[in-house]
Amino acid sequence: MADSGTRTAGEEPITAAGHPTHVHDFHQLLYAPLGRITVTTPDGEHELASPLALWLPAGTPHSARFDPESLVLAESFDPAVHHLPFTRTTAIRLGDTVRRQLLARTRGADAEAGDAAMFAALTCARTRRDARLPLPRPTSEAARTVAGTLIRRPDDPRTATEWAESLYVSSTSLRRAFRAETGIAFSEWRTRVRLNHSLELLTQGHQVGAVAAKVGFTSTNGYILAFRRHFGRTPGAWAKECAERSAE
């Protein structure tokens, strides 16, 4: 666990800005209940803000950048004791109960006693059917208009510049609004809304290529790469897991 974004449990103090690439011999979950952190792994960059957390399997090279005033929690688990069901870096969405449990562990001297229960809760969080990515809504008029349209029509191909022209605002101000009001860039926000829409289509049995086109990706490969970066598996593997759970 860590406090005020400057120290991780069991490690030497790290700078307020983050830490360089390193590897753990244990599984680690990173979570930022306040602020935002960016974790870079061989799979790409993972931007985390509550309620999104990230599993790093033992042996995963990673570095991290912390936004100012971020609060960073790190939970570590021994691979010899705890079997992590993910072999790749995997983002999970934490429910209110699990978030409260994580915060409570920062105040407890006997946190290790609950490792088994905590590990089970954190691994189950990823396998729930509703795995949608967090999607904060912008509040300013232009950004809110863009967001509303993309939620209804994620396949809308307009760029931030084209949106700005149609709304008579500057593309810089539109991009800044998304970053300031949602915590993520316009392009990432649009990717998340497309991926969230794709989950329902996958559960309905649509083919991966058809899903990619329906939600606005210009290529199936681009969709697969984005899906794997955010969910830790391919769309086909995710759909198969959902089908297997439904059959249980």
Side-chain angles (χ1 to χ4, degrees), residues 117-197:
M118 192 74 257
F119 185 80
L122 291 170
T123 50
C124 285
R126 175 59 184 84
T127 58
R128 289 184 301 181
R129 189 179 185 87
D130 184 6
R132 288 175 296 177
L133 299 165
L135 201 67
R137 302 291 185 88
T139 55
S140 59
E141 184 176 355
R144 191 171 67 246
T145 298
V146 174
T149 301
L150 285 173
I151 287 171
R152 294 189 301 272
R153 289 291 308 276
D155 61 332
D156 192 306
R158 280 176 284 184
T159 64
T161 299
E162 291 168 335
W163 273 112
E165 291 175 352
S166 69
L167 295 170
Y168 303 103
V169 297
S170 74
S171 61
T172 299
S173 65
L174 181 62
R175 290 189 177 93
R176 284 177 178 169
F178 266 90
R179 171 66 75 177
E181 297 165 14
T182 72
I184 52 181
F186 167 77
S187 59
E188 171 65 12
W189 198 97
R190 183 177 60 184
T191 294
R192 290 190 185 188
V193 78
R194 288 174 172 175
L195 291 174
N196 284 347
H197 274 264

Side-chain angles (χ1 to χ4, degrees), residues 1-2 8-11 22-31 54-58 62 73-82 84 102 105 111-116 118-119 122:
M1 289 171 279
T8 304
E11 297 180 354
H22 62 289
V23 175
H24 298 307
D25 59 3
F26 48 80
H27 303 313
Q28 186 177 66
L29 179 118
L30 291 177
Y31 172 56
L54 190 72
W55 270 113
L56 295 164
H62 64 282
L73 305 184
E75 289 286 343
S76 303
F77 298 93
D78 185 351
V81 178
H82 303 285
L84 190 67
L102 281 174
R105 283 165 66 84
E112 289 186 4
D115 273 359
M118 192 74 257
F119 185 80
L122 291 170

Side-chain angles (χ1 to χ4, degrees), residues 6 21 35 38 61 94 109 146 169 171 178 204 220 225 230-231 236 248:
T6 59
T21 301
T38 302
L94 301 180
V146 174
V169 297
S171 61
F178 266 90
Q204 294 172 1
T220 300
L225 289 175
H230 284 83
F231 296 114
E248 292 177 352

Side-chain angles (χ1 to χ4, degrees), residues 37-69:
I37 63 177
T38 302
V39 182
T40 302
T41 74
D43 294 327
E45 285 197 343
H46 307 266
E47 195 168 82
L48 306 179
S50 185
L52 201 65
L54 190 72
W55 270 113
L56 295 164
T60 303
H62 64 282
S63 61
R65 301 192 307 274
F66 306 147
D67 278 8
E69 306 304 321

